[in-house]
Each structure stands twice: as C-alpha cells, then as structure tokens.
Amino acid sequence: MEKGRILFLNGVTSSGKTSIVEALQARDEVFFYVVANDLFQEMVGEKYLRENYWKYLSEAILLMYHTAKLFSDMGKNVLIDGILVERAEIRPHYQRLMEILRDNPLDIVEIYCPLEICRQRNIARGDRYETQSEEQKALMASNIAYSLRVDTSLLSPKQCARRIIETLFP
C-alpha cells in the first residue's frame, strides 16, 4: 500500500494555519485527515496541564506525530496544524519529528505572517494573548527544511491552499 502524504503546516499562532487547513479540506483534489496541536492538547486533562503544561503537551505532540504516521501508513493523507517549538521538554523537537516520520512522505510548509499582523490577529481573536506569536517565534526550531513557504499577509487561505496543492501535488 502506498503511504499517504503528510503536510506539516508550521507557523506561530494567528499566522493562518487553521484557516489554510479549512481551505485545503474544502478542495476536491486531495483529501486530508487533520491532526493539530490544539486537538491533542484537549486530550490532556486541565489538571495535568496546570500541573506541568509543557511536559504533558510535549507528550501529546509526540503522540500526534505517531498518529499522523499511522494514518500515512494506512494510505491516508494527513495535515498537521502545529508549530515546531524547541523547549527542553521536547528538544530536539524537529529531529524527533523527522525520526518518527522518516519512512513517510513528509513536506513541511512554512506558514509565514509578519509578527505585527499576528499580534493584531491575536488581539482581534481574543482567545490568544497579544505577544503569543512573538514568544512562539523566539522558541521556534531553526534550520527547518521547508518544502514551501506561503505568506498569509499577501495571500488568502484559499490562495495559500491552491499554491500548496499546485506545488506539492502537481
């Protein structure tokens, strides 16, 4: 059986990852199952997250990558909506992702948006704090081998989705 493709949409909060996921899901060309940091975080009880947020979130993130691998191994395409953050609890995060998915077709897409626009989006959303994107950017893994970069300050989610499909699924 041919393995499904895994697309990791990597970017800070409010960069537009989830909006692009929704735009990709609305297209007809390629169907994706979605795994996301937020969904896996919800699997951890609030008690544990309050006790040691990064420890338990890090465990959930690694489980998310194994889940993506399972879907891919079963021939299903997968979108990962997340961020490669280098924290002590999960370091080396990027390397661990690459080890878990070493036998699966993986493309990492940089979802870029200027931090000032992310800050404005955080304020407008109301469910993020103003400087959350900047703090995540400071923790983001470096030297990531991206297959593609899309800029959500220049392109709509629908346009980003079209560019991703046209570039990575010719």
Side-chain angles (χ1 to χ4, degrees):
M1 171 185 309
E2 187 175 336
K3 293 183 182 209
R5 298 270 302 272
I6 300 172
L7 298 185
F8 190 120
L9 304 184
N10 185 53
V12 298
T13 193
S14 294
S15 61
K17 298 181 304 290
T18 303
S19 296
I20 294 170
V21 164
E22 292 168 358
L24 285 165
Q25 288 286 73
R27 295 181 65 92
D28 292 329
E29 300 95 326
V30 182
F31 177 79
F32 295 96
Y33 288 90
V34 179
V35 296
N37 281 4
D38 294 345
L39 297 173
F40 275 73
Q41 179 178 324
E42 290 177 18
M43 294 178 186
V44 180
E46 285 296 319
K47 170 190 178 291
Y48 298 102
L49 290 174
R50 280 192 304 274
E51 179 183 303
N52 192 334
Y53 177 81
W54 280 103
K55 175 187 184 296
Y56 292 108
L57 179 62
S58 297
E59 290 175 4
I61 288 170
L62 293 178
L63 291 170
M64 178 178 74
Y65 299 155
H66 285 284
T67 301
K69 178 178 178 29
L70 174 65
F71 277 92
S72 173
D73 288 345
M74 299 298 293
K76 307 301 182 190
N77 294 320
V78 182
L79 287 171
I80 298 175
D81 176 346
I83 178 172
L84 291 164
V85 174
E86 292 297 349
R87 294 253 329 164
E89 298 84 352
I90 198 167
R91 187 173 284 132
H93 187 168
Y94 176 54
Q95 182 180 333
R96 291 176 87 176
L97 167 77
M98 299 306 286
E99 288 170 1
I100 292 167
L101 300 177
R102 72 178 162 269
D103 297 325
N104 298 80
L106 170 66
D107 287 290
I108 303 176
V109 178
E110 180 183 9
I111 309 303
Y112 173 79
C113 185
L115 290 175
E116 177 56 27
I117 294 173
C118 290
R119 186 185 71 74
Q120 293 168 11
R121 291 175 180 175
N122 287 338
I123 293 167
R125 287 174 68 159
D127 64 346
R128 303 286 193 269
Y129 55 92
E130 186 174 337
T131 60
Q132 191 167 349
S133 301
E134 289 94 346
E135 291 172 18
Q136 289 178 351
K137 178 67 175 165
L139 296 172
M140 190 179 285
S142 57
N143 301 317
I144 297 169
Y146 288 109
S147 301
L148 178 65
R149 178 187 210 218
V150 294
D151 184 338
T152 64
S153 69
L154 302 175
L155 301 173
S156 70
K158 189 174 181 178
Q159 291 169 320
C160 290
R162 181 172 46 246
R163 182 153 181 237
I164 290 167
I165 295 296
E166 289 174 354
T167 303
L168 300 177
F169 291 84

